[in-house]
Amino acid sequence: MPASLLHLQSPDPISVAKKLAERLAATAVERDRRGGHALEERELIRQSGLLTLSIPLEFGGAGADWPLVYATIRILAQADSALAHVYGFHHLQLAGITLYGSAEQQRRLLMATVREHLFWGNALNPLDKRTVATATTDGFILDGIKSFSSGSVGADWLTLSAWNHSVEGALIAVLPASTPGVTVQADWDAFGQRQTDSGNVRFERAHLPADLVLQTPGQAPTAQATLRSQVAQLIMANLYLGIGQGAFEAARNYTQEQARAWFASGVDKAADDPLVQHRFGKLWLLLRPAELAADHAAVLLDRAFKQGAALSAHERGLVAVAVAEAKALSHQAGIEISSQMFELTGARSTSAQYGYDRFWRNVRVHTLHDPIDYKIRDLGRYALDGSVPAPTAYS
Amino acid sequence: MPASLLHLQSPDPISVAKKLAERLAATAVERDRRGGHALEERELIRQSGLLTLSIPLEFGGAGADWPLVYATIRILAQADSALAHVYGFHHLQLAGITLYGSAEQQRRLLMATVREHLFWGNALNPLDKRTVATATTDGFILDGIKSFSSGSVGADWLTLSAWNHSVEGALIAVLPASTPGVTVQADWDAFGQRQTDSGNVRFERAHLPADLVLQTPGQAPTAQATLRSQVAQLIMANLYLGIGQGAFEAARNYTQEQARAWFASGVDKAADDPLVQHRFGKLWLLLRPAELAADHAAVLLDRAFKQGAALSAHERGLVAVAVAEAKALSHQAGIEISSQMFELTGARSTSAQYGYDRFWRNVRVHTLHDPIDYKIRDLGRYALDGSVPAPTAYS
Amino acid sequence: MPASLLHLQSPDPISVAKKLAERLAATAVERDRRGGHALEERELIRQSGLLTLSIPLEFGGAGADWPLVYATIRILAQADSALAHVYGFHHLQLAGITLYGSAEQQRRLLMATVREHLFWGNALNPLDKRTVATATTDGFILDGIKSFSSGSVGADWLTLSAWNHSVEGALIAVLPASTPGVTVQADWDAFGQRQTDSGNVRFERAHLPADLVLQTPGQAPTAQATLRSQVAQLIMANLYLGIGQGAFEAARNYTQEQARAWFASGVDKAADDPLVQHRFGKLWLLLRPAELAADHAAVLLDRAFKQGAALSAHERGLVAVAVAEAKALSHQAGIEISSQMFELTGARSTSAQYGYDRFWRNVRVHTLHDPIDYKIRDLGRYALDGSVPAPTAYS
Amino acid sequence: MPASLLHLQSPDPISVAKKLAERLAATAVERDRRGGHALEERELIRQSGLLTLSIPLEFGGAGADWPLVYATIRILAQADSALAHVYGFHHLQLAGITLYGSAEQQRRLLMATVREHLFWGNALNPLDKRTVATATTDGFILDGIKSFSSGSVGADWLTLSAWNHSVEGALIAVLPASTPGVTVQADWDAFGQRQTDSGNVRFERAHLPADLVLQTPGQAPTAQATLRSQVAQLIMANLYLGIGQGAFEAARNYTQEQARAWFASGVDKAADDPLVQHRFGKLWLLLRPAELAADHAAVLLDRAFKQGAALSAHERGLVAVAVAEAKALSHQAGIEISSQMFELTGARSTSAQYGYDRFWRNVRVHTLHDPIDYKIRDLGRYALDGSVPAPTAYS
């Protein structure tokens, strides 16, 4: 594959993302039906060069800021939210290296990512404590299962968490997926986000060398380190938003090009029906707040990310508030638009040939990552007394 | 098959419907995935005896009133809304015979239905005027296609409409599905209600004898005749409601038995979480109005149905208002509950093994029969000046 | 005053209520502005004879069932929800006598109510425990304050609760408002329901004779006794609903008669604007569920009331569920309609001459009797596991 | 009065606005009750120096950009939305001079405004065509009435529109309020925004000199000129938003300091109740989108304003879209928060001493300036095909 592509020499990652989105869109309906691993499309992503987008210039990456990275996630999600998730989570793993890792680890792992065109996957689900790390002389032995491991199938490297019983705490580490004893199971069977490769990863006496441990068990996380969950949450928000935008665009196009005016409407074209226009306006008023909030949160997150170790807990908390706003608004927009779009497009638009139900199925599955009612409660607490969300894997 | 079943000698059609629903439920997830024609399950319906439920006692039927018929539709829809639709539309065709047909036609066709255990299907979509009826000496010749023909695949007899160019009006008639020149195409491919057998019916020089014509072309419909669309609309409402009830029940059971309390909730069981309880309460407040309105409309419809030719246009209009209320409320309840249920059940409940997305897919497809915004507008007009909806195929 | 009026010999209490509502409506806007005690209008209510509506025939009353009593409350609330509240709470006190009192107390107090045309008020707020009852040889001495005493100003008799420190429990009793040591303070100053006479009642060494105690302190309430809070809650529901209906009717009339079509609408009359019609339809879909649920709950409550001592806790609980549904739906309908009606009627309808803001102010103040979010939570609990609300003064 | 105040030499208009808001807040409840003209408070505004905020530096003003002007309007609206409206509309009149007037008119009128501490009012309601301008040799004679003239009572100068029958078009002009034949009537009687001085202005053979005509009758408005309605609409949006913020803050403070936990909540403080926190979160998710959208629109408007005559119709249209988003979201936030706040603060918070109902009354009256459903429809049209709203006095 040509280096020019792989190193994203294009002056405009947005254009690259849009072209990639077009290629993904061409097969998205069919691949949603099929499910499973999208080997070929993951290669398209790799070849686009976008995998190095968030890597600092000094390590050979494109050095993009977070608003730009999120913009590309959103563009891909409009076309194919499953692969956009895999893509976004790749950048999440890279962010983890920067937030948790030593300077040496950052240099080594990020340069390797550029050089070897690595694709990263996730095996870090902190609520699943079945994977256990037992200390050895030169690292740890990993045993157990890790569920909801997005992007793990087909990943070159994984970020993982594992529970250490000696200190009753979790470590965070990276590991090549090809490590003996690591098996990635393609057993994801949800009704949406079907190609996110979010299966179970199984560890059987897998050796984790000490220099791949980013955060040792029980290590108290810094404000900087806890920013990782905000990077992740804002990826979610942009995925939901991208799905909402994609659904909106589908409804718009269908209404303009194919929908029939209802016989009782008194107009010739569906797009001229005041009730249709009004409902489009209502959906627009769900979409725009999500866009504004996601953009706003990305700016704040980027600023906090760049503060590094200087980031205070309160500043981190304000990022969490902005991200929670973006996530809740995107959640609502995605769910409502992908469900209500059919009130606008009508019965014929439910034909399998369009695959329009995938918007709802994708956003419905993905928005269950953590409960919206607790996100709303967190915002309520902040609104009440200014207290920021406690840092967790979800807030 | 034993006559005892086929003639519904059970004192309690509700029990019969519940048992039937249980049998349908056992395979509903798998059949939803497969789609296509449910030959075996349609035979289960036939054997239950419920096909004669709405037929007057004098013709050998069970003589049930409409509230009871709708109750059985709703029960089946909780388990399998596609077959409930096929079942409901069978009774719609029987209602059509009573509303349109002569005394002789009623006697002959309804008695045959009892005697021969007939299953009726629909080919009446009035918005599709591609099927043409050309008068002959002893009836009509039918040519053309009729779309959205629910229950047509596997039906013994069909009700149909066809356009007559001489008088620029439609006739309504019945015809055995086995009539030469009639082809029923199993080409329904929507993403929900996948086993409703709602394909295209194709007529190629099919002969329609005069004595099977229920309403001649251009004949001005009586208030009684226009009640058919209300029977149909209230079938829709009960299907949406049944889906909403089925989704609610699934959420309830899952929350009670399988859902995990969110780690930040401070409670041990999801069912004890105040935010979970509150959201269940909100959904309940969508479900109950739909139930109350559907029950209310069924009583009004039954009364109007029994008035027969004495029914006035205004009385018919008041039925249409009550049915529109029931349909709009059931629509909202079905869509919201089937989508929001996942906020309560969480990520693991999206596994394909549960098939919980079928509730949304089914109600989403089915609620597009006619636009809710026009139903709401009709209610607004009534609320404004008391004017009842003009009788159409949808109001 | 003529006995014929006072004994409600009219065959139709609904007509009596409508005529009374018309008279109240004539001055409602002006009296809302003024606030305070509506002496003259309370006399109109007394003269209507409706104060005996819920009293059994055997005691000289009209013997109406609860659906009829609630219907009259709703009718009055459409015109004047403050006086409708006073009227409804009069019947609540009568219900309390039946639910708590001995056969002798019932006979004596209810017959006196008929004979002397008594108007009853409330001083029972169970959350306010500042009124204390100290036992004496022949009854109790009452001391302290009772807040939110609706209808107390101008009442002939009061129902009251008072806390007894010996048994750490409350008694429930009745007392003439003219009892020495009882002062009713006209100090209600909320921004709505301004003429509900809901001030503080002050007791200063007031003597409560033993035969006026309906329920002794610490007495375990029966299922029958706890029905009183449901009678009260359903009065609330019907008041909210009546306000919603009144606001809807005002919006309807204004739109028909005075509203101007928006210049961009393309129609001549506001009532012909599809967006106006659609919004009326949306509000209608809030109003109708409340009506259906309130009617349904009244039937259930009436049945439970008539079961008397035979009422089981579970049956009582099912009434509480139906009443909670009615109250929550009426709350939502009242609040939304009284606020949204202005989107339909426009800027000129905010002139003080119409007094249309009183609908929102009245329903907003009154719906805060107890929090809707806990009503919704109760329904959620019932929906989850079938557990009925625990009997309290609010559920 | 000291010049230092009048010329806003404070480096920070935000601080000035906050101090002014505090002073207005002290009497806001009482003045809302009283209604009428707030002479003293208008003088406080005048003395604050904020009346010159939007005037370019070259004419002696503070030269603030629109985001800053809108920020001050929002701050005042949190405390007193009626006077904030009067203040905002003063700046609208100044904007009109810039958008419509010649360079000479701008210089003369704006410098006079600074020099003489002028307060401007509105008499421009374009839907009211009762004021007629008849050409004379040296200008026009004005006759007739102009309704909804916000800020006219007590204004030094007015902007007005008048209909000219010769060319069937309107002129736009300015005039001293003291001009013979001009009478400002303090007859505004709406139930909210009671001190906006929005009465009728009556013209009786009032002489309008030619050099005070900003736009001659029938003159085709430029894109620049039509920006005035966007300046006005975004003033509305910021007023609604300020009211929403004020109501939110009142609910927050009351909940923190005075609200009692509901007895069934199981918590000690209302602010710890999960259902209370959740509802605060929901309201926050209404407020934040409005804030983000209003800020976004202000930036766009400011850019367009500075483009002056170079502004294209499409660029002007994109401003109109952003402003419509801000206005619709602020409308929804203001109405919902000011009504729902009471679900959080409870029955005791309805006491007249708090005057909390003024938030709803103010935003309810003010949001009827033009119908939200047409704002939503405009957004729907834009969303459907990218067509921007046609320039009118409202879009």
Side-chain angles (χ1 to χ4, degrees):
Chain A
M1 84 195 65
S4 65
L5 276 176
L6 282 161
H7 291 85
L8 194 68
Q9 298 185 342
S10 155
D12 180 10
I14 296 294
S15 301
V16 174
K18 285 187 177 167
K19 269 181 211 147
L20 177 57
E22 258 176 56
R23 295 202 56 180
L24 298 180
T27 53
V29 172
E30 203 283 325
R31 284 183 294 105
D32 163 66
R33 199 169 294 131
R34 190 177 357 127
H37 184 61
L39 177 61
E40 202 172 322
E41 286 72 22
R42 287 183 65 138
E43 283 312 307
L44 290 178
I45 297 175
R46 198 195 301 263
Q47 288 167 31
S48 75
L50 288 171
L51 292 183
T52 69
L53 187 61
S54 66
I55 297 177
L57 292 167
E58 58 192 290
F59 301 139
D65 60 12
W66 281 106
L68 182 53
V69 176
Y70 286 122
T72 60
I73 293 172
R74 209 187 285 178
I75 289 167
L76 296 190
Q78 291 163 14
D80 183 332
S81 56
L83 287 174
H85 178 66
V86 171
Y87 166 73
F89 261 43
H90 163 84
H91 287 292
L92 173 62
Q93 313 314 318
L94 302 185
I97 294 168
T98 300
L99 294 171
Y100 294 133
S102 66
E104 193 279 332
Q105 285 172 324
Q106 290 177 36
R107 191 182 50 76
R108 178 159 46 93
L109 293 165
L110 296 177
M111 289 186 74
T113 300
V114 174
R115 192 178 55 244
E116 299 170 33
H117 318 310
L118 299 181
F119 217 132
W120 286 75
N122 195 44
L124 198 130
N125 177 3
L127 286 190
D128 184 353
K129 297 180 176 166
R130 291 176 297 170
T131 297
V132 170
T134 312
T136 63
T137 49
D138 60 345
F140 295 86
I141 294 295
L142 303 174
D143 275 293
I145 286 181
K146 187 64 73 175
S147 59
F148 289 111
S149 297
S150 292
S152 60
V153 184
D156 302 308
W157 277 67
L158 298 170
T159 311
L160 62 92
S161 73
W163 194 255
N164 181 266
H165 284 297
S166 323
V167 302
E168 285 302 311
L171 63 73
I172 293 170
V174 296
L175 203 63
S178 58
T179 302
V182 176
T183 328
V184 175
Q185 297 177 308
D187 52 6
W188 172 248
D189 79 336
F191 62 70
Q193 291 292 84
R194 301 193 63 210
Q195 292 200 317
T196 53
D197 299 325
S198 301
N200 288 299
V201 174
R202 184 178 295 270
F203 300 92
E204 288 173 293
R205 300 203 54 74
H207 176 59
L208 169 63
D211 68 346
L212 294 184
V213 176
L214 302 183
Q215 190 172 282
T216 55
Q219 186 178 331
T222 60
Q224 180 186 17
T226 65
L227 210 55
R228 185 185 188 271
S229 62
Q230 296 309 316
V231 176
Q233 291 274 314
L234 197 48
I235 291 173
M236 307 289 173
N238 280 282
L239 290 168
Y240 308 166
L241 176 51
I243 298 173
Q245 291 172 323
F248 195 95
E249 184 67 8
R252 203 185 76 79
N253 287 338
Y254 190 93
T255 302
Q256 291 279 63
E257 292 162 19
Q258 304 194 51
R260 304 178 183 183
W262 184 241
F263 77 92
S265 66
V267 295
D268 289 333
K269 288 169 48 190
D272 293 337
D273 185 334
L275 298 180
V276 168
Q277 294 173 345
H278 189 265
R279 196 181 273 270
F280 264 104
K282 297 274 278 182
L283 297 187
W284 184 256
L285 286 173
L286 290 171
L287 197 61
R288 283 293 292 152
E291 291 171 355
L292 290 166
D295 288 347
H296 174 72
V299 170
L300 257 63
L301 177 77
D302 193 63
R303 199 179 302 157
F305 199 89
K306 284 169 179 158
Q307 283 181 262
L311 185 71
S312 74
H314 187 68
E315 288 164 337
R316 188 267 181 205
L318 295 179
V319 172
V321 169
V323 170
E325 290 167 359
K327 182 148 173 286
L329 292 168
S330 298
H331 176 128
Q332 291 172 358
I335 292 289
E336 283 307 311
I337 294 169
S338 66
S339 183
Q340 281 190 47
M341 64 178 281
F342 295 98
E343 312 290 7
L344 295 160
T345 54
R348 286 172 196 280
S349 70
T350 65
S351 164
Q353 67 177 294
Y354 304 113
Y356 287 160
D357 58 320
R358 76 186 188 281
F359 296 114
W360 179 84
R361 285 187 291 100
N362 286 335
V363 77
R364 183 63 289 183
V365 165
H366 208 272
T367 46
L368 303 174
H369 179 267
D370 55 300
I372 188 169
D373 284 332
Y374 279 87
K375 205 61 75 196
I376 294 171
R377 191 207 58 170
D378 282 356
L379 289 171
R381 285 183 174 177
Y382 172 70
L384 261 164
D385 64 8
S387 63
V388 296
T392 73
Y394 301 93
S395 63
Chain B
M1 81 198 66
S4 66
L5 277 174
L6 282 160
H7 291 85
L8 196 66
Q9 296 183 341
S10 156
D12 180 11
I14 295 294
S15 303
V16 173
K18 285 186 177 166
K19 270 182 211 148
L20 178 56
E22 260 176 55
R23 296 200 57 178
L24 297 180
T27 53
V29 172
E30 202 282 323
R31 285 183 293 105
D32 163 65
R33 199 169 293 132
R34 191 179 355 129
H37 184 59
L39 176 62
E40 204 172 320
E41 287 71 22
R42 287 182 64 137
E43 283 312 306
L44 289 178
I45 297 174
R46 198 195 301 263
Q47 287 166 31
S48 75
L50 288 171
L51 293 183
T52 69
L53 188 60
S54 66
I55 296 177
L57 292 167
E58 59 192 288
F59 301 139
D65 60 12
W66 281 106
L68 183 52
V69 175
Y70 285 122
T72 59
I73 293 172
R74 211 188 284 178
I75 288 167
L76 297 189
Q78 291 163 16
D80 183 332
S81 56
L83 287 174
H85 178 65
V86 170
Y87 166 72
F89 261 43
H90 163 84
H91 287 293
L92 174 62
Q93 313 314 318
L94 302 187
I97 294 168
T98 299
L99 295 171
Y100 294 133
S102 66
E104 193 279 332
Q105 286 172 323
Q106 290 176 37
R107 192 181 51 75
R108 178 158 48 93
L109 292 165
L110 295 178
M111 290 185 74
T113 299
V114 174
R115 192 176 56 241
E116 300 170 32
H117 318 309
L118 299 182
F119 215 133
W120 286 75
N122 196 44
L124 198 129
N125 176 3
L127 287 189
D128 183 352
K129 298 181 177 166
R130 292 175 297 169
T131 298
V132 170
T134 312
T136 62
T137 49
D138 60 347
F140 294 87
I141 293 296
L142 303 174
D143 275 294
I145 286 180
K146 187 65 72 172
S147 60
F148 288 112
S149 297
S150 291
S152 59
V153 185
D156 302 307
W157 278 67
L158 299 170
T159 312
L160 62 91
S161 72
W163 195 256
N164 180 266
H165 283 299
S166 323
V167 301
E168 285 302 310
L171 64 73
I172 293 170
V174 296
L175 203 62
S178 57
T179 302
V182 175
T183 327
V184 175
Q185 298 178 307
D187 51 6
W188 173 248
D189 79 335
F191 62 70
Q193 292 293 82
R194 302 191 63 210
Q195 293 200 315
T196 53
D197 299 325
S198 302
N200 289 300
V201 174
R202 185 179 294 272
F203 299 93
E204 288 172 295
R205 299 203 54 75
H207 177 58
L208 169 63
D211 67 348
L212 295 183
V213 177
L214 303 182
Q215 190 172 281
T216 55
Q219 186 178 330
T222 60
Q224 180 186 17
T226 64
L227 209 54
R228 186 186 189 271
S229 61
Q230 295 310 316
V231 175
Q233 290 274 313
L234 197 48
I235 291 173
M236 307 289 172
N238 279 283
L239 290 167
Y240 307 166
L241 176 50
I243 297 173
Q245 290 171 323
F248 195 95
E249 184 67 8
R252 203 185 76 79
N253 287 338
Y254 190 94
T255 302
Q256 291 279 62
E257 293 162 18
Q258 305 195 50
R260 305 178 182 183
W262 184 241
F263 77 92
S265 66
V267 296
D268 289 334
K269 289 169 49 193
D272 293 336
D273 184 333
L275 298 180
V276 168
Q277 294 173 345
H278 189 265
R279 196 181 273 271
F280 264 105
K282 296 273 280 182
L283 297 188
W284 184 257
L285 286 173
L286 290 171
L287 197 61
R288 283 292 292 153
E291 291 171 355
L292 290 166
D295 288 347
H296 174 71
V299 170
L300 257 63
L301 177 77
D302 193 63
R303 198 179 303 157
F305 199 88
K306 283 167 179 159
Q307 283 181 263
L311 185 72
S312 75
H314 187 68
E315 287 164 336
R316 188 268 180 206
L318 295 180
V319 172
V321 168
V323 170
E325 290 166 0
K327 183 148 175 283
L329 290 168
S330 298
H331 177 128
Q332 290 173 358
I335 292 289
E336 284 306 311
I337 293 169
S338 66
S339 184
Q340 281 190 45
M341 65 178 280
F342 295 98
E343 312 289 7
L344 295 160
T345 54
R348 286 173 197 281
S349 70
T350 64
S351 164
Q353 67 176 295
Y354 304 113
Y356 286 161
D357 60 318
R358 76 187 189 281
F359 296 114
W360 179 84
R361 286 188 290 101
N362 286 336
V363 76
R364 185 62 289 183
V365 165
H366 209 272
T367 46
L368 302 173
H369 179 268
D370 55 299
I372 187 169
D373 284 332
Y374 279 88
K375 205 62 74 195
I376 294 172
R377 191 207 58 172
D378 281 357
L379 289 171
R381 285 183 174 177
Y382 172 70
L384 261 165
D385 64 7
S387 64
V388 296
T392 72
Y394 301 92
S395 62
Chain C
M1 81 198 65
S4 66
L5 277 175
L6 281 161
H7 291 86
L8 195 68
Q9 295 184 344
S10 155
D12 180 10
I14 295 294
S15 302
V16 173
K18 285 187 177 165
K19 270 181 210 148
L20 177 57
E22 259 176 55
R23 295 200 59 180
L24 297 180
T27 53
V29 171
E30 202 283 325
R31 285 183 293 106
D32 163 65
R33 201 169 293 132
R34 190 177 358 128
H37 184 60
L39 177 63
E40 203 173 321
E41 286 72 22
R42 286 182 66 138
E43 284 311 307
L44 289 178
I45 297 175
R46 198 195 301 264
Q47 288 166 31
S48 75
L50 288 171
L51 292 183
T52 69
L53 187 61
S54 67
I55 296 177
L57 292 168
E58 58 193 291
F59 301 139
D65 60 11
W66 281 107
L68 181 52
V69 176
Y70 286 121
T72 59
I73 294 172
R74 210 187 285 177
I75 288 167
L76 296 189
Q78 291 164 15
D80 183 332
S81 56
L83 287 174
H85 178 65
V86 171
Y87 166 73
F89 261 42
H90 163 83
H91 287 293
L92 174 61
Q93 313 313 319
L94 302 186
I97 294 168
T98 300
L99 295 171
Y100 294 134
S102 65
E104 192 279 333
Q105 287 172 323
Q106 290 176 37
R107 192 181 49 76
R108 178 159 46 94
L109 293 165
L110 296 177
M111 289 185 75
T113 300
V114 172
R115 193 176 56 242
E116 301 169 30
H117 317 310
L118 300 180
F119 215 132
W120 285 75
N122 195 44
L124 198 129
N125 178 3
L127 285 190
D128 183 352
K129 297 181 176 165
R130 292 176 297 169
T131 297
V132 170
T134 313
T136 63
T137 49
D138 60 345
F140 294 86
I141 294 294
L142 303 174
D143 275 294
I145 286 181
K146 188 65 74 173
S147 59
F148 288 112
S149 297
S150 291
S152 59
V153 185
D156 303 306
W157 278 67
L158 298 170
T159 311
L160 61 91
S161 72
W163 194 255
N164 181 266
H165 283 299
S166 323
V167 302
E168 287 301 310
L171 62 72
I172 292 169
V174 296
L175 202 64
S178 56
T179 302
V182 175
T183 327
V184 175
Q185 298 178 307
D187 52 5
W188 173 248
D189 78 334
F191 62 70
Q193 291 293 84
R194 302 193 62 212
Q195 293 200 316
T196 52
D197 298 325
S198 303
N200 288 299
V201 174
R202 185 180 295 270
F203 299 93
E204 287 172 292
R205 298 204 55 75
H207 176 58
L208 169 63
D211 67 346
L212 295 183
V213 176
L214 303 183
Q215 190 171 282
T216 56
Q219 187 177 328
T222 60
Q224 181 186 15
T226 64
L227 210 54
R228 185 186 189 272
S229 61
Q230 296 310 314
V231 175
Q233 291 274 313
L234 197 48
I235 290 173
M236 307 288 173
N238 279 282
L239 290 168
Y240 308 165
L241 177 51
I243 298 173
Q245 290 172 323
F248 195 95
E249 184 67 8
R252 204 186 75 78
N253 287 338
Y254 190 95
T255 303
Q256 291 279 62
E257 292 162 18
Q258 304 195 51
R260 305 178 182 182
W262 184 241
F263 77 91
S265 66
V267 296
D268 290 332
K269 288 169 48 193
D272 293 338
D273 184 334
L275 298 181
V276 168
Q277 294 173 344
H278 189 265
R279 196 181 273 270
F280 265 104
K282 296 275 278 182
L283 297 187
W284 184 256
L285 286 173
L286 290 171
L287 197 60
R288 283 293 291 152
E291 291 171 354
L292 291 165
D295 288 347
H296 173 71
V299 170
L300 256 64
L301 177 77
D302 193 63
R303 198 180 301 157
F305 199 87
K306 284 168 178 158
Q307 281 182 264
L311 185 72
S312 74
H314 187 68
E315 287 163 338
R316 188 268 181 206
L318 295 180
V319 172
V321 168
V323 170
E325 292 167 0
K327 182 146 174 287
L329 291 168
S330 298
H331 176 130
Q332 291 173 358
I335 292 289
E336 283 306 311
I337 293 169
S338 66
S339 183
Q340 282 190 46
M341 65 176 281
F342 295 97
E343 312 290 7
L344 296 160
T345 54
R348 286 172 196 280
S349 70
T350 65
S351 164
Q353 66 176 296
Y354 304 114
Y356 287 162
D357 58 320
R358 75 186 189 282
F359 297 114
W360 179 85
R361 286 187 291 99
N362 286 335
V363 76
R364 183 63 290 182
V365 166
H366 208 272
T367 46
L368 302 174
H369 180 268
D370 55 298
I372 188 169
D373 284 332
Y374 279 88
K375 204 61 74 197
I376 294 171
R377 190 209 57 173
D378 281 356
L379 289 172
R381 284 183 175 177
Y382 172 70
L384 260 165
D385 63 8
S387 64
V388 295
T392 73
Y394 303 93
S395 63
Chain D
M1 82 198 65
S4 67
L5 276 175
L6 282 160
H7 291 87
L8 195 67
Q9 297 183 344
S10 155
D12 180 10
I14 295 294
S15 302
V16 174
K18 285 186 177 166
K19 269 180 212 149
L20 177 56
E22 259 176 56
R23 295 200 59 179
L24 297 180
T27 53
V29 171
E30 202 282 325
R31 286 183 292 105
D32 163 64
R33 200 169 294 133
R34 187 171 8 122
H37 184 59
L39 176 63
E40 203 173 320
E41 287 71 22
R42 287 183 64 138
E43 282 312 305
L44 289 178
I45 297 175
R46 199 196 300 264
Q47 287 165 31
S48 75
L50 288 171
L51 292 182
T52 68
L53 188 61
S54 67
I55 297 178
L57 292 167
E58 58 193 289
F59 300 139
D65 59 11
W66 282 106
L68 182 52
V69 176
Y70 286 121
T72 59
I73 294 172
R74 211 189 283 178
I75 288 167
L76 297 189
Q78 292 164 15
D80 183 332
S81 56
L83 287 174
H85 178 66
V86 170
Y87 166 73
F89 261 43
H90 163 84
H91 287 293
L92 173 61
Q93 312 315 318
L94 302 186
I97 294 168
T98 301
L99 295 171
Y100 293 134
S102 65
E104 193 279 333
Q105 286 172 322
Q106 292 176 37
R107 191 180 51 75
R108 178 159 47 92
L109 293 165
L110 296 177
M111 289 186 75
T113 300
V114 172
R115 191 176 57 243
E116 303 169 30
H117 318 309
L118 300 180
F119 216 132
W120 286 75
N122 196 44
L124 197 131
N125 176 3
L127 286 189
D128 183 353
K129 297 182 176 164
R130 292 176 297 169
T131 297
V132 170
T134 312
T136 63
T137 49
D138 60 346
F140 294 87
I141 293 294
L142 302 174
D143 276 293
I145 286 181
K146 187 64 74 171
S147 59
F148 289 111
S149 296
S150 291
S152 58
V153 185
D156 304 306
W157 277 68
L158 298 169
T159 312
L160 62 90
S161 72
W163 194 256
N164 181 266
H165 283 299
S166 322
V167 302
E168 286 302 309
L171 62 73
I172 292 169
V174 297
L175 203 63
S178 57
T179 302
V182 175
T183 328
V184 175
Q185 299 178 307
D187 52 4
W188 173 247
D189 78 336
F191 62 70
Q193 292 293 83
R194 301 192 63 211
Q195 293 201 315
T196 53
D197 298 325
S198 303
N200 287 300
V201 174
R202 185 179 295 271
F203 299 93
E204 288 172 294
R205 299 205 54 75
H207 176 59
L208 169 64
D211 68 347
L212 295 182
V213 176
L214 303 183
Q215 190 172 282
T216 55
Q219 187 177 329
T222 61
Q224 181 186 16
T226 64
L227 210 53
R228 185 186 188 272
S229 62
Q230 295 310 315
V231 175
Q233 291 274 313
L234 197 49
I235 290 173
M236 307 288 173
N238 280 283
L239 290 168
Y240 308 166
L241 176 50
I243 298 173
Q245 291 172 323
F248 194 95
E249 184 67 6
R252 203 185 75 79
N253 288 338
Y254 190 95
T255 302
Q256 291 279 61
E257 293 161 19
Q258 305 196 50
R260 304 178 183 183
W262 184 241
F263 77 91
S265 66
V267 296
D268 289 332
K269 289 169 49 193
D272 293 337
D273 184 333
L275 297 181
V276 168
Q277 294 173 345
H278 189 265
R279 196 182 274 268
F280 264 104
K282 296 273 279 182
L283 297 187
W284 184 256
L285 287 173
L286 289 171
L287 197 61
R288 283 293 292 153
E291 291 171 355
L292 291 165
D295 288 346
H296 174 72
V299 171
L300 256 63
L301 177 76
D302 193 64
R303 197 179 302 157
F305 199 87
K306 284 168 178 158
Q307 282 182 264
L311 185 71
S312 75
H314 187 68
E315 287 164 336
R316 188 267 180 206
L318 294 180
V319 171
V321 168
V323 170
E325 291 167 0
K327 183 148 173 286
L329 291 168
S330 299
H331 176 129
Q332 291 173 359
I335 292 289
E336 284 306 311
I337 293 169
S338 66
S339 183
Q340 281 190 47
M341 64 176 282
F342 295 97
E343 313 289 7
L344 295 161
T345 54
R348 287 173 196 279
S349 70
T350 64
S351 164
Q353 67 177 293
Y354 304 113
Y356 287 161
D357 59 318
R358 75 186 189 281
F359 297 115
W360 179 84
R361 285 187 291 100
N362 286 335
V363 77
R364 183 63 290 182
V365 165
H366 209 272
T367 46
L368 302 174
H369 179 268
D370 54 299
I372 188 170
D373 284 332
Y374 280 87
K375 204 61 74 194
I376 294 172
R377 189 207 60 171
D378 281 357
L379 289 172
R381 285 183 175 176
Y382 172 70
L384 260 166
D385 64 7
S387 63
V388 296
T392 72
Y394 302 92
S395 63

